[in-house]
Amino acid sequence: MPGSPQYGTLEVTDSGGPTLQALFTGKRAGLGTELVLQITASTAGISTIATPVSDDGTGRSLINISSRGRLTRQGDALIAGFVIGGRTPRNILVRAVGPSLTQFGVTDAVTRPVVTLYSGATVIASNSDWSLNNVQQLTTAFDLAGAFHFASPTSRDAALEIALLPGAYTLQATSLDGGSGKVLAEAYEVP
């Protein structure tokens, strides 16, 4: 429909026999798959099967955004933006990874990263040491989102999980002590 955040895909399978199959998937931007219809047409007639859509995360529109860069001086920031569409809040995991990058062979990582989440110019949340939050809750969020685990509970990486309303957001990864080095800024949807 013009002007709405809805769209769909139609896959038609024709194997040359007496049966034609079509699979329609209706989607809504920011909410993922909302409707699945399987249509089979043959000389015997037409049948339609509506498949219920579960909230198992398979219809998620955001899986992960990430960017790795190098902070060279005090005040540098690695910035990533994202938009949450739809009408319902989404649980989002944001991280600034420094020390745990070494487990992947990355040298010269920022030792004290900070992740700050903004809505416009307003700071929504910030973290500079993930172990100051609920480590078990964050570890569960890592698993649900498909994010790698930090090197240890005392790694000094930064992470927070937050429910966000639809809208535009920016996350910034900076260095707490102004030190230079490589940092990874990430955002995941947590199903």
Side-chain angles (χ1 to χ4, degrees):
M1 300 175 67
S4 73
Q6 301 175 81
Y7 62 99
T9 61
L10 179 65
E11 297 176 49
V12 178
T13 305
D14 183 358
S15 58
T19 303
L20 182 67
Q21 293 185 331
L23 180 66
F24 174 76
T25 306
K27 299 183 179 199
R28 186 180 306 265
L31 296 178
T33 300
E34 299 241 328
L35 171 71
V36 177
L37 291 174
Q38 181 176 337
I39 305 162
T40 303
S42 69
T43 54
I46 298 175
S47 68
T48 304
I49 300 171
T51 305
V53 177
S54 65
D55 193 17
D56 63 359
T58 57
R60 294 185 297 160
S61 56
L62 169 68
I63 302 299
N64 167 250
I65 61 167
S66 65
S67 180
R68 189 179 88 184
R70 187 170 200 299
L71 306 178
T72 58
R73 62 184 175 274
Q74 189 165 357
D76 279 355
L78 186 60
I79 302 170
F82 59 94
V83 176
I84 298 173
R87 296 183 179 92
T88 58
R90 298 290 184 165
N91 288 329
I92 304 295
L93 170 67
V94 292
R95 309 190 322 172
V97 186
S100 289
L101 290 176
T102 58
Q103 66 185 337
F104 301 106
V106 176
T107 58
D108 186 30
V110 168
T111 57
R112 294 293 308 270
V114 178
V115 64
T116 306
L117 184 63
Y118 292 86
S119 175
T122 304
V123 174
I124 302 291
S126 185
N127 178 259
S128 62
D129 185 343
W130 80 294
S131 67
L132 299 177
N133 289 331
N134 184 330
V135 171
Q136 183 57 47
Q137 178 184 342
L138 283 172
T139 301
T140 299
F142 295 176
D143 291 339
L144 290 171
F148 65 87
H149 284 223
F150 290 154
S152 77
T154 59
S155 66
R156 302 283 182 144
D157 294 290
L160 54 96
E161 180 184 12
I162 186 168
L164 296 176
L165 294 170
Y169 298 91
T170 305
L171 72 92
Q172 290 189 13
T174 58
S175 175
L176 182 67
D177 59 9
S180 64
K182 295 171 186 159
V183 66
L184 178 67
E186 301 181 299
Y188 294 85
E189 182 178 346
V190 180

